[in-house]
Amino acid sequence: MQRWILGNKNKIVLINGSLIAFAFASKWMLENLTLFHWGLAIAAILGVLPIAIQAYQALRVKVVSIDVLVTIAVTGAFLIQNFEEAAIVTFLFLFGAFLEQRTLIKTRSAIKELVEMAPETALKQMGDGEFKEVSVDEVDVGDVLLVKTGAKVPVDGRVISGEGSVNEASITGESLPVAKEVDSYVYAGTILDNGTIYIKADRVGEDTTFGRIIELVEEAQDSKSAAERFIDRFAKYYTPVVLLMGFVVWLISRNLELAITILVLGCPGALVIGVPVSHVAGIGNGARFGILLKGSEVISDFSRLDTMVFDKTGTLTLGSPSVAETEYYGGQSEQALAFLGSVERESDHPLAKAVLEAIGEVELYDVSDTEVIKGEGIIASVDGHCVAVGNQALMERENVRINEKALADLKRLEKNGSSQVLTAVDGELKILMGVRDQIRPGVKEDLQKLSRLGVKNLVMLSGDNQGTVDVVSSQLGLTAAHGNMLPEDKSQYIKDLMERGEIVAFVGDGVNDSPSLALAQIGIAMGGGTDVAIETSDVVLINSDFRRLPHALGLAKAIVRNMKQNIAIAVGVVLFLLAGVLFSDWMNMSIGMLVHEGSILVVILNGMRLLRYKLR
Amino acid sequence: MKAATIQLETLTCPSCLQKIENAVKGLNGVEKDSVQVMFNSSKVKVNFNDEQIEIGDIEKAITALGYGVKKSSVKSV
């Protein structure tokens, strides 16, 4: 019975509403007051049923919910034979809840779309070698799966045979298909555009990259800010207090009508729902644009951002520098190049790649006793020679003499913004290479957007020399730029800013900048390695797309604005109703309920605007 | 000890949260501090001792309040 009533709430609202319409029609058109009263009385009894059941369930687990307040109020109205009020209040309450449900589904639609992109079935190779369709939950690590054209890749895994092209937009935001062949890695939730592949499951379910993204989004939308936790705690005691207040008013004034009006007016409607609604719509908008804001604290901090600090290489620049100039000193250049190639082959420094590309094919030697000096370079022993590869500081450390011509070359390179790779063999300078990194296309416009959004300082930090840094800085129009910085200098710099009370975001590659990323209130990792970037960032940009940064900041600000509006609406409504009951004689239960339900819809609709938010 | 994630039918009123939270917390064998009812994703996360209580009992406590359970997943912790 209970289940049936709750399951058919919508039908009950309809009948309840029709009965009320019928009652008023009989009063005005037939002038039949008996029908009027009977119609309303039946409507009230029918309408209060589902509310009373919910109230009972709430009381059983020791919660004084809104349903309890409304049930008492309606019963009270019924007792003093005010059927009109009793019926209308139940109708408004039920119909309001119905509209709330409808509109809430809309605010959550963006995230729902994301969740629905998750694969549900997989073609799994069974014991007999045949492939059978199973639920993704039944796929274990190590299983062999078949993916056909048009199907979703069910888990993260490696291609073991076949080939095809995969649309990875759900993971990387990149809509151009990516070719996959044997040994390529494929991600759950991506779609095989054409071809057929067999994959071996590597990560399944919530452990897949896509699963992690969904989980983080879901956690983010339900994470609560300090303000929200306060509202929750407040709401817990608020309803019992209202109940008590109604009772006290009745004891003093012996006016049941007034007492039950207070119960209805006291419903904490818009206040409780306003903030979560802004939250879910805003985070949903982000998810659509490839931005994940991890929770309310992040949104709140991000929206009040003072300073944005960028790592240079790989963040503001493409991070794939190339050798622009090469100078040779002394003889035996060929041998020196071969030594340089041998040393750089073992390094994963971004400059090493550029150097190797520039050298091309050379004879390679065995390298031993390699010593990496942080921020300076590498010293190693190659074919019995001591080879030092690195910057000017390393040369000084190794007491390498730098002649006049080399000094002039260094100056020139520093001026045009090149990083310098010097190579010394047995303490004698042999090669100087100038490596330049290109600025990421569009970065300048994005930075301008960020400062228009109210970021006061745009700062660049880099391990490169000051000359390089200044060149990039002036091209981009940054507030400040500091070179020659080691990872610990960068985190110290951020610490200093924060001690001055600034709110700081750090944008870095997520590998060697992790201390700074962790330290700043807002860490944003741009590393192509999706896992690291997702785990360490407070704001995750899918595919590490720099262009999404201004949208992310604008969105955070819009969400906070929206929450404040909703709180203002909710508090305003309560004050209005309170004033109404104290200073006017037209305020009654029905109007109170109407205003309440109206304000709930207003905050939901206001929150929904965030779904359409776009940076101008 | 087991950790369960229970997916519910869409939750629409914030006051539902408190009801569900209290109902689940009131069960024997449920770790009280672990109960987390998520409004927007309509999920309940809870740790429980599987020697004292089964996932079915937790689901029953929630459905008894009038909220449908779609799916539960249980992991050992």
Side-chain angles (χ1 to χ4, degrees), chain A residues 279-298:
Chain A
H279 212 145
V280 73
I283 288 176
N285 173 298
R288 252 186 208 160
F289 284 89
I291 297 157
L292 170 54
L293 301 164
K294 277 196 196 163
S296 17
E297 298 295 340
V298 169

Side-chain angles (χ1 to χ4, degrees), chain B:
Chain B
M1 214 39 135
K2 303 263 182 186
T5 307
I6 305 167
Q7 178 71 56
L8 309 177
E9 306 273 354
T10 316
L11 295 178
T12 49
C13 58
S15 73
C16 314
L17 301 191
Q18 226 191 322
K19 281 200 248 173
I20 297 173
E21 197 179 312
N22 280 14
V24 176
K25 272 187 184 164
L27 298 169
N28 258 337
V30 164
E31 195 183 303
K32 291 202 175 16
D33 294 337
S34 72
V35 180
Q36 216 186 336
V37 185
M38 294 155 89
F39 176 56
N40 283 318
S41 48
S42 307
K43 276 185 181 170
V44 180
K45 289 193 173 176
V46 57
N47 294 348
F48 63 97
N49 184 344
D50 51 334
E51 283 164 14
Q52 278 177 284
I53 192 167
E54 279 176 45
I55 180 73
D57 301 326
I58 301 177
E59 286 179 1
K60 224 179 274 165
I62 298 172
T63 39
L65 289 175
Y67 305 106
V69 171
K70 273 191 181 163
K71 180 173 135 183
S72 305
S73 63
V74 180
K75 269 196 235 168
S76 298
V77 278

Side-chain angles (χ1 to χ4, degrees), chain A residues 29 43 137 248 261 399 435 605 608:
Chain A
M29 293 192 282
D137 296 337
V248 169
T261 305
N399 294 320
V435 183
L605 291 175
M608 256 159 75

Side-chain angles (χ1 to χ4, degrees), chain A residues 481-492:
Chain A
H482 304 281
N484 302 316
M485 284 194 128
L486 298 172
E488 53 263 39
D489 298 332
K490 292 182 189 173
S491 50
Q492 187 57 47

Side-chain angles (χ1 to χ4, degrees), chain A residues 104-123:
Chain A
L104 263 178
I105 290 172
K106 274 268 156 58
T107 63
R108 292 171 181 162
S109 58
I111 289 168
K112 198 154 167 259
E113 279 166 26
L114 181 75
V115 175
E116 276 168 0
M117 271 159 47
E120 282 175 352
T121 61
L123 288 168

Side-chain angles (χ1 to χ4, degrees), chain A residues 49-250:
Chain A
L49 273 178
I51 309 174
I53 291 172
Q54 285 169 351
Y56 165 69
Q57 286 167 343
L59 285 175
R60 244 188 11 185
V61 290
K62 301 185 195 88
V63 177
V64 179
S65 67
I66 306 176
D67 312 295
V68 177
L69 296 186
V70 175
T71 307
I72 297 174
V74 171
T75 316
F78 207 83
L79 288 177
I80 53 172
Q81 300 196 337
N82 191 340
F83 302 129
E84 188 180 331
E85 296 255 298
I88 292 177
V89 165
T90 57
F91 173 74
L92 288 174
F93 188 71
L94 290 172
F95 188 60
F98 168 77
L99 288 181
E100 251 174 86
Q101 192 177 353
R102 281 303 166 88
T103 45
L104 263 178
I105 290 172
K106 274 268 156 58
T107 63
R108 292 171 181 162
S109 58
I111 289 168
K112 198 154 167 259
E113 279 166 26
L114 181 75
V115 175
E116 276 168 0
M117 271 159 47
E120 282 175 352
T121 61
L123 288 168
K124 173 173 152 180
Q125 189 168 39
M126 309 309 274
D128 57 5
E130 294 291 308
F131 286 90
K132 197 180 139 214
E133 185 161 333
V134 297
S135 152
V136 280
D137 296 337
E138 291 169 44
V139 177
D140 291 317
V141 173
D143 283 348
V144 174
L145 307 169
L146 167 62
V147 187
K148 293 181 180 167
T149 304
K152 272 180 203 154
V153 177
V155 296
D156 286 4
R158 208 168 280 287
V159 179
I160 49 173
S161 74
E163 55 183 32
S165 61
V166 173
N167 182 332
E168 297 192 327
S170 59
I171 299 287
T172 63
E174 174 63 58
S175 53
L176 280 179
V178 183
K180 298 285 178 181
E181 49 185 36
V182 173
D183 246 16
S184 304
Y185 204 80
V186 289
Y187 295 96
T190 59
I191 296 167
L192 188 64
D193 267 355
N194 65 61
T196 304
I197 53 174
Y198 294 86
I199 62 171
K200 191 167 202 170
D202 179 36
R203 288 186 297 192
V204 300
E206 285 170 6
D207 299 329
T208 62
T209 302
F210 190 67
R212 286 295 299 143
I213 292 175
I214 289 180
E215 206 176 315
L216 285 170
V217 170
E218 287 193 338
E219 270 169 25
Q221 63 173 350
D222 278 308
S223 79
K224 289 187 172 170
S225 61
E228 232 176 321
R229 280 194 295 272
F230 173 75
I231 291 176
D232 278 2
R233 262 202 312 277
F234 171 75
K236 206 183 255 176
Y237 299 106
Y238 183 76
T239 28
V241 166
V242 170
L243 189 59
L244 199 67
M245 233 166 69
F247 188 64
V248 169
V249 166
W250 178 70

